[in-house]
Amino acid sequence: MTLILDYEAGNLASVRRACAHVGLQAQYCADPDQLLQAERIIFPGVGAAGSAMRSLKQRGLDQALREVIQRGTPVLGICLGMQVSLTHSQENDTPTLNIIPGQVRRFAFDRKDLKIPHMGWNEVRVLQAHPVLAGIQPGDEFYFVHSYFPQPISNDAVLAVTDYEGEFACAVGKDNYIGTQFHPEKSAQVGLRLLANFAAWDGQC
Amino acid sequence: MLSKRVIACLDVRDGKLAKSVKFVDTKDIGDPVAKAREYYEDGLDELVFYDITASSDKRNIMLDVVEAVADQVFIPLSVGGGVRSVVDATDLRLAGAEKINVNSAAVARPELINECAEAIGNQNVVLSMDIQRVGVNPEQPSGYEIVINGGRTATGKDALAWAIEGERRGAGELVINSIDADGTKDGYEIALTAMIAEAVRVPVIASGGAGVPEHLYDVLTQGSADAALVASMVHYGDYKVSELKQYLHDEGLKIRIC
């Protein structure tokens, strides 16, 4: 069973719809015991880092997530769901799950023409081949909406990068965990391809 | 680098597609779900649905349309027209809309922008502004005025001041719709778009007046717009979305080509 982590009663319908479109029937889940039984897990982003971490802790989902990731269950984090997998986020000065050691930082530009949030379509350049990123061609673009970006300590965790006045990590991963800053569920055919890859992934790299 | 976006706007009345010319004499041109899917498959970057249904008892038809589209179209979907409350915004979001456009109701009660931003996040709140040229005067120092009710009622509000207020209240994006240019096919109102785009830090979508691909190029360059909205030029089959995007790409703009 594939579960979509529903930790803040957020609007997750677009993720579920896109999964259904590629044949992945996913259910919402806010229960740690159920999470431990999952075959694979999608961890979408809702709201801000501070409130997301509070909700996860209140429900005991933070511990359950660490446990399933240790067990080898394939997990896909999206946007904020990816950001809380690092060690700390500048957003609300929040300690996060520490699955991928590193920081989440806010974009800061001197140039006034660079808008924050980074919103729209941008190129994803794959640095390390990964089963979930299979089929992404040079020049393929994905849809982004975010003001913060991940900065893993180890380059080994950086799977793909995107340029917005300098490169930032747009896909991070470690073992059976992968997270994207972009929204595959809003990224047309290439995004659906990524979700289909995740649906078939056994968690091995 | 971010790509410039091409956005198609579909006006929907009683669940059917319509296109307004100068906001009056709308005429039916088809099924919104089929059209949305066609554009999506042809590489459209984002879709806007504008509900122009007159009677409020038919509003739920729009939720069905949004739901049907969200099941088949996997790009950002923005919905507006008649959004008066956080409840309206939330209902549309649950039906599958990503972004919510507020317009007249925000002019009447600007706090609506703050409330929606709080409830669904700044990045999902789009302030859509219908704007007419009035010439520089003490009340409208920018020379442009906000109008409502599909362009029929002037509000006295200065367009530039309203754009800046909208951003401050939490709008994550602005649509600049020129009433003067709308339906003319003579091109976007470049000066207006540039003036607002250069005064705010949120993305700006130019709307109204597109007739040929060069118009999109002009507003995305001279007009400093982040996105260009098209309607009749694609609805009537004069151009395909992919043709517009290929043209912009060939002219050297950063554009997503599928």
Side-chain angles (χ1 to χ4, degrees):
Chain A
M1 188 186 8
T2 298
L3 298 180
I4 298 175
L5 198 59
D6 184 12
Y7 54 107
E8 272 221 307
N11 181 17
L12 311 174
S14 58
V15 174
R16 191 180 46 77
R17 282 191 165 102
C19 285
H21 197 79
V22 299
L24 185 63
Q25 300 305 327
Q27 294 176 21
Y28 300 136
C29 167
D31 171 38
D33 294 332
Q34 202 190 347
L35 199 68
L36 295 171
Q37 312 300 320
E39 207 176 297
R40 63 188 74 247
I41 296 166
I42 296 177
F43 185 5
V46 176
S51 60
M53 280 309 295
R54 268 197 306 282
S55 302
L56 288 171
K57 282 184 184 162
Q58 265 165 18
R59 294 172 164 87
L61 289 165
D62 56 332
Q63 281 309 327
L65 261 172
R66 285 196 188 93
E67 206 177 316
V68 290
I69 288 169
Q70 215 145 50
R71 275 186 199 174
T73 307
V75 176
L76 169 64
I78 299 173
C79 197
L80 181 70
M82 172 277 292
Q83 291 182 356
V84 298
S85 73
L86 283 94
T87 313
H88 181 271
S89 174
Q90 264 186 0
E91 190 176 27
N92 321 116
D93 188 16
T94 310
T96 45
L97 296 169
N98 195 32
I99 294 156
I100 305 231
Q103 302 287 320
V104 170
R105 297 180 47 200
R106 194 173 205 281
F107 284 120
F109 304 122
D110 296 329
R111 282 172 53 190
K112 199 168 177 265
D113 61 328
L114 283 165
K115 315 260 167 152
I116 302 172
H118 170 235
M119 184 196 293
W121 297 82
N122 204 335
E123 234 168 276
V124 166
R125 190 160 69 85
V126 176
L127 300 183
Q128 297 185 51
H130 189 287
V132 176
L133 304 180
I136 298 178
Q137 303 298 323
D140 279 351
E141 298 188 19
F142 287 75
Y143 188 74
F144 291 82
V145 187
H146 62 120
S147 304
Y148 294 81
F149 63 96
Q151 206 169 43
I153 289 170
S154 166
N155 282 337
D156 293 347
V158 180
L159 303 177
V161 290
T162 289
D163 180 46
Y164 194 51
E165 187 68 6
E167 282 188 340
F168 69 90
C170 66
V172 298
K174 190 183 161 196
D175 305 326
N176 51 306
Y177 175 86
I178 182 167
T180 65
Q181 182 56 70
F182 51 84
H183 289 265
E185 77 279 13
K186 290 285 170 194
S187 295
Q189 288 79 5
V190 286
L192 295 174
R193 168 75 192 266
L194 188 149
L195 290 173
N197 289 344
F198 177 69
W201 187 37
D202 61 2
Q204 307 287 315
C205 294
Chain B
M1 203 170 109
L2 274 176
S3 288
K4 298 284 188 182
R5 285 172 281 160
V6 174
I7 303 177
C9 182
L10 299 169
D11 286 348
V12 177
R13 190 182 43 204
D14 303 339
K16 298 243 175 62
L17 204 53
K19 169 58 193 150
S20 54
V21 176
K22 290 251 184 200
F23 286 97
V24 291
D25 296 334
T26 55
K27 79 175 191 187
D28 246 344
I29 52 171
D31 170 20
V33 181
K35 225 26 175 181
R37 206 191 146 91
E38 177 193 323
Y39 295 161
Y40 163 67
E41 285 169 355
D42 198 29
L44 187 71
D45 295 317
E46 193 165 328
L47 192 62
V48 181
F49 276 116
Y50 223 79
D51 189 7
I52 55 170
T53 302
S55 67
S56 54
D57 56 328
K58 286 186 179 164
R59 286 253 175 245
N60 286 341
I61 299 175
M62 193 60 194
L63 295 177
D64 296 339
V65 170
V66 171
E67 213 158 308
V69 170
D71 270 335
Q72 308 179 35
V73 169
F74 301 99
I75 53 175
L77 176 59
S78 186
V79 183
V83 175
R84 289 172 204 292
S85 66
V86 168
V87 175
D88 292 343
T90 310
D91 284 350
L92 287 165
R93 289 260 301 162
L94 289 174
E98 177 96 352
K99 303 179 187 179
I100 302 300
N101 287 48
V102 294
N103 190 333
S104 302
V107 173
R109 201 174 65 79
E111 299 75 26
L112 178 63
I113 301 169
N114 308 64
E115 292 163 12
C116 287
E118 173 71 21
I120 64 172
N122 292 31
Q123 73 276 12
N124 295 320
V125 180
V126 182
L127 175 61
S128 190
M129 302 179 291
D130 294 335
I131 299 174
Q132 88 184 346
R133 205 183 305 122
V134 290
V136 175
N137 67 77
E139 272 76 54
Q140 288 91 30
S142 71
Y144 292 92
E145 182 181 16
I146 298 292
V147 294
I148 54 170
N149 294 330
R152 288 186 294 271
T153 312
T155 66
K157 262 186 200 290
D158 179 75
L160 180 60
W162 179 230
I164 292 168
E165 181 180 346
E167 179 188 29
R168 183 172 52 75
R169 287 182 177 276
E173 212 164 23
L174 304 175
V175 176
I176 298 167
N177 186 40
S178 165
I179 294 289
D180 304 297
D182 188 65
T184 62
K185 299 195 172 190
D186 291 338
Y188 296 93
E189 177 121 24
I190 305 282
L192 168 68
T193 310
M195 177 177 65
I196 294 178
E198 280 152 23
V200 298
R201 291 206 68 168
V202 293
V204 157
I205 302 168
S207 164
V212 294
E214 288 79 358
H215 292 154
L216 280 78
Y217 179 81
D218 291 344
V219 85
L220 293 170
T221 52
Q222 290 157 251
S224 298
D226 298 281
L229 194 135
V230 293
S232 54
M233 72 185 297
V234 291
H235 299 339
Y236 293 108
D238 298 343
Y239 294 93
K240 289 178 67 176
V241 169
S242 52
E243 277 178 85
L244 294 177
K245 292 185 68 177
Q246 190 63 50
Y247 168 82
L248 295 170
H249 176 79
D250 293 346
E251 289 299 308
L253 292 187
K254 176 98 178 351
I255 290 284
R256 179 178 71 108
I257 298 294
C258 306

